Amino acid sequence: MMDLYSIGEMVIDMIPGSEPASYLRRAGGAPANVAIAVVKNGLKASLTCKVGNDDFGRFLMDTLKENQVKQNVPELTDQAITTIAFVTLQEDGERTFTFARKPGADMLLSPDEVKESDIADSVIIHAGSCSLSASPVAEATIKALKTGHDLGKLVSFDVNYRNLMWNDDQQACADAVKAILPYVDILKISEEEVEMLGGQDHIQDLMKENQIAMVVETLGSEGACAYLGEEVIHVAGRKVKAVDATGAGDAFWGAFLSSLRIQGVEKSADLSAKIVRNAMEYGNISGCICVQSKGAIDSLPTRETIEAYIRENK
């Protein structure tokens, strides 16, 4: 039994100006980072993707293997596409991006590569909205979410709007996300993405219609906020000096999902305010640890690191 089944395209962050380039998001995108973060918290995870037969693709597969992440589509391909964000990291922690494309990830993942048996063997199903922006990977993502929902699994979805993926069409992204909400139990979303989907009141109406728990994930001064039914759960932010924020959201979400699973959550009916609050605290700490280090995969904290942080900061 897998605790997490993750699906989605890879997004790679790199620092330009050196050969070979230095990877910041070394695991290669939210689906892989979340899967690895879950594994680092002591759970089992699998990742469905298509990876390019290049230096980065081989590096990614080695990274997943080293972290005991099961790969459902391990064959390397010369035809898939990677989005690379060339990152300039400022001293204050701010980043600027230049986007480029090259062979090497899972944009060509097909619905046939999403196996119902893999989903049936998992507890939590996770995907991100960038995976809705390209067909056939969009079809594969929708199949995974709907299959998970129909099988009674806990379905997690990351609203991750990237201009490059959607050709600056926020409305297309919003429409695609709204179309899959009936299959989603837990929605990971930023304040900006709330506005993109129609604002707080509209989101709450969608929650009532679809019975989802929405988590607004931020690592700033205001912290994170979750909406579970009519209950609002707020976890205050933690002041940290950011070295690099790459992977912080993935660290948050991997730890958040891990905490839900550790607390025995298997379906949406198991969610309670106490469980969600505990998971948010766990995720908040994980994200804060992550932003104090460079490189997402190196700074995705283990359960032991998070628990040590809790003991030292009581």
Side-chain angles (χ1 to χ4, degrees):
M1 174 66 73
M2 288 286 165
D3 294 286
L4 175 73
Y5 174 97
S6 188
I7 181 174
E9 73 232 281
M10 303 302 172
V11 180
I12 309 166
D13 291 351
M14 304 168 67
I15 302 178
S18 62
E19 292 291 343
S22 300
Y23 294 105
L24 285 178
R25 173 166 281 165
R26 291 181 56 195
N33 283 348
V34 170
I36 291 174
V38 167
V39 170
K40 286 195 168 190
N41 278 271
L43 305 181
K44 296 179 181 179
S46 62
L47 175 69
T48 290
C49 60
K50 184 170 282 185
V51 179
N53 188 16
D54 59 2
D55 289 342
F56 178 79
R58 290 187 289 273
F59 165 80
L60 173 60
M61 297 304 285
D62 288 343
T63 301
L64 295 170
K65 183 177 180 180
E66 289 168 5
N67 284 273
Q68 293 85 49
V69 175
K70 177 186 174 185
Q71 302 122 40
N72 294 301
V73 186
E75 297 83 6
L76 296 171
T77 176
D78 294 322
Q79 299 175 331
I81 300 297
T82 295
T83 299
I84 299 179
F86 292 97
V87 179
T88 302
L89 183 64
Q90 310 298 330
E91 290 185 1
D92 60 2
E94 291 296 316
R95 294 177 297 160
T96 58
F97 297 89
T98 302
F99 289 102
R101 309 279 277 201
K102 68 183 286 287
D106 67 346
M107 296 287 277
L108 299 182
L109 186 70
S110 73
D112 293 341
E113 291 165 313
V114 177
K115 306 297 184 185
E116 183 172 327
S117 58
D118 290 325
I119 296 176
D121 192 42
S122 304
V123 177
I124 302 173
I125 313 303
H126 176 70
S129 61
C130 286
S131 299
L132 296 176
S133 62
S135 185
V137 71
E139 297 173 27
T141 300
I142 293 168
K143 177 181 177 181
L145 296 171
K146 187 177 185 305
T147 301
H149 172 77
D150 292 345
L151 291 175
K153 306 297 182 177
L154 189 70
V155 180
S156 162
F157 190 77
D158 183 351
V159 180
N160 186 3
Y161 175 73
R162 290 177 183 267
N163 291 343
L164 184 68
M165 299 293 189
W166 294 94
N167 296 319
D168 296 319
D169 191 344
Q170 285 197 356
Q171 189 58 53
C173 179
D175 291 343
V177 171
K178 289 176 183 178
I180 55 87
L181 287 183
Y183 314 135
V184 176
D185 299 302
I186 305 177
L187 194 65
K188 175 177 178 286
I189 194 168
S190 70
E191 293 173 349
E192 292 80 7
E193 290 155 353
V194 167
E195 294 307 312
M196 181 182 73
L197 291 179
Q200 188 66 62
D201 290 342
H202 184 58
I203 288 288
Q204 289 182 328
D205 289 339
L206 291 173
M207 287 173 55
K208 292 175 184 176
E209 294 171 10
N210 298 293
Q211 298 180 335
I212 62 173
M214 183 189 73
V215 177
V216 177
E217 176 266 309
T218 62
L219 296 172
S221 59
E222 295 183 3
C225 196
Y227 299 83
L228 184 64
E230 296 183 356
E231 190 155 8
V232 180
I233 305 159
H234 179 256
V235 174
R238 295 173 180 270
K239 293 183 179 180
V240 293
K241 182 178 180 180
V243 175
D244 177 55
T246 302
D250 302 337
F252 180 104
W253 207 247
F256 175 82
L257 295 178
S258 296
S259 179
L260 292 183
R261 188 74 187 97
I262 290 166
Q263 294 180 85
V265 172
E266 294 190 359
K267 50 189 180 297
S268 59
D270 297 331
L271 294 171
S272 68
K274 180 179 179 181
I275 285 174
V276 171
R277 178 176 293 278
N278 288 341
M280 289 172 64
E281 288 278 11
Y282 206 66
N284 208 17
I285 292 168
S286 181
C288 288
I289 293 172
C290 188
V291 299
Q292 295 178 77
S293 305
K294 279 188 179 180
I297 187 61
D298 292 332
S299 55
L300 290 173
T302 64
R303 187 192 307 182
E304 291 75 17
T305 304
I306 297 170
E307 290 174 349
Y309 183 98
I310 294 172
R311 289 194 301 272
E312 293 167 5
N313 291 274
K314 282 185 176 178

